[in-house]
Amino acid sequence: MNRFMENKHSKIAIIIGTKAELIKCMPIMLELQKQNKDYWFIHTGQHSLGKACETFSIKKPDFVLSKEPDRSTKFWSKINQNSILWFLSMILKIRRLVNKIKPVYVLYHGDTMSTASAAIGSSKIFSARKTWKNVHLEAGLRSGSWFEPFPEEISRQISDFFSDILLAVSDLTERNLQKYKGRKKIINFGNTIIDSSLISHNIGKKKHKKIRGNYALINIHRHENINNEKRLKSIVHILKSIKINAIWPIHANTARAIEKFRLVSEIKGMKNIKITSLMDYPEFIFLLANCKYLITDGGSIQEESLVFGKPCIILREKIERQEGLTTGINFLTNINVKKTKKIIEDIEAGKIKHPKFSNPYGEKGLSKNIVRMLTQHM
């Protein structure tokens, strides 16, 4: 490693821990590669990323700070002694590495444990004489509740607090960051998920064929839903109201919760719902782009629904992507069974029209603007 570092110096370090972070940083990494601009790719090891890097033609990580898990993730969203110790060790490893490679920018994305450790580890609190700027991509998202989603809401606020440059994704997120005005640089570029979705759709449509007929796409995985028996039962009750065919790529922790709360027979009784294993992002995006509507408790999928103009039924009580609710195709249900069933019924009956709207998270090609900012002095 020492000889490798002596022969190479990159001005941009990108720290990534999860597949979601890789997906949203991917357009920036591809643009850097296209321009022959070198960058450090630092992988915390929170998720296994090898297959995703191959899918998107991203170079292999230059540094891996902990052994990748054999399964998809190390922690399954659990905050326990092991995850806290890993988080603390990651702060120290990132601090040590960044001080060695001395980039101009340290870039990290989102709201995970890897994100927060990157923000703290590259901050002035550990390196008072640092020369680099640490940059939080997808800054300013707020749900207004510390526990929904948890621990993401805490992580994103930690990341904003310790960063020098905050890349907001919308007008609202830019306003959420105004308390930092004068102390940090705040720039509203939009969200790279726009480019990620379109790049992935181009990959997906080359490999997969459209499914005949209308279908719904289901995505349920938030731990505040699946670990709450009452909420999960309400969600299952809601899914029963789907009349058209549906596809449900199921997460392992969701499947375990369904078994734990003895809901397996109810799920199997929904003959119109096809449960599949998780798929790679381009295949999922291809399904999303061609579905009639989505039912989800996820975050980024709300933005992806806007890219392809798909009605999105959100099974949550609080969301951090509130701009989507102004478009007329994102529906926050508060997991109210009666309310949600009515929305599903209206969408399937064609009673909900698709209004014209400007995507509040930006337009195609915004990642180039971020790369321009990062490389203007290179």
Side-chain angles (χ1 to χ4, degrees), residues 73-212:
T73 179
K74 274 184 164 74
F75 306 119
W76 300 107
S77 298
K78 293 179 180 178
I79 300 299
N80 54 30
Q81 183 177 355
N82 289 337
S83 60
I84 291 171
L85 290 174
W86 181 88
F87 172 72
L88 295 174
S89 72
M90 215 40 51
I91 292 173
L92 298 176
K93 288 180 180 180
I94 289 168
R95 177 219 177 231
R96 190 180 307 120
L97 178 56
V98 173
N99 273 279
K100 282 184 179 180
I101 63 177
K102 290 182 167 45
V104 176
Y105 294 107
V106 178
L107 182 74
Y108 39 84
H109 173 276
D111 52 22
T112 70
M113 295 180 71
S114 291
T115 312
S117 64
I120 298 171
S122 63
S123 69
K124 286 184 179 180
I125 193 171
F126 279 106
S127 302
R129 297 182 181 180
K130 78 183 183 82
T131 56
W132 59 85
K133 298 292 185 182
N134 52 333
V135 184
H136 186 202
L137 181 63
E138 200 179 72
L141 291 175
R142 298 289 185 271
S143 71
S145 170
W146 288 104
F147 298 103
E148 295 213 19
F150 177 84
E152 287 87 344
E153 182 73 6
I154 296 171
S155 179
R156 63 174 65 110
Q157 296 210 35
I158 289 173
S159 300
D160 287 343
F161 179 81
F162 284 101
S163 300
D164 299 309
I165 300 175
L166 303 174
L167 302 187
V169 297
S170 65
D171 293 342
L172 177 57
T173 57
E174 184 179 7
R175 290 196 296 272
N176 289 340
L177 296 169
Q178 286 308 297
K179 66 180 180 180
Y180 296 120
K181 191 174 182 180
R183 291 183 288 148
K184 303 175 187 289
K185 190 171 184 179
I186 303 167
I187 311 172
N188 179 3
F189 278 122
N191 202 321
T192 56
I193 194 64
I194 307 292
D195 293 335
S196 300
S197 298
L198 295 172
I199 291 169
S200 299
H201 184 245
N202 285 334
I203 295 172
K205 69 183 180 182
K206 293 175 183 177
K207 296 182 178 180
H208 306 287
K209 293 182 179 180
K210 288 184 180 180
I211 297 172
R212 292 183 180 179

Side-chain angles (χ1 to χ4, degrees), residues 42 76 274:
I42 302 168
W76 300 107
K274 179 183 178 182

Side-chain angles (χ1 to χ4, degrees), residues 267-278:
I267 298 295
K268 287 183 177 179
M270 303 178 201
K271 301 299 182 182
N272 61 319
I273 297 179
K274 179 183 178 182
I275 294 180
T276 73
S277 58
L278 290 182

Side-chain angles (χ1 to χ4, degrees), residues 42-72:
I42 302 168
H43 177 25
T44 68
Q46 187 172 342
H47 284 183
S48 299
L49 298 182
K51 186 176 179 181
C53 288
E54 290 179 12
T55 298
F56 298 116
S57 300
I58 297 295
K59 71 172 185 175
K60 293 181 179 179
D62 297 303
F63 305 98
V64 180
L65 302 185
S66 69
K67 184 181 178 181
E68 286 190 350
D70 295 329
R71 53 188 182 177
S72 60

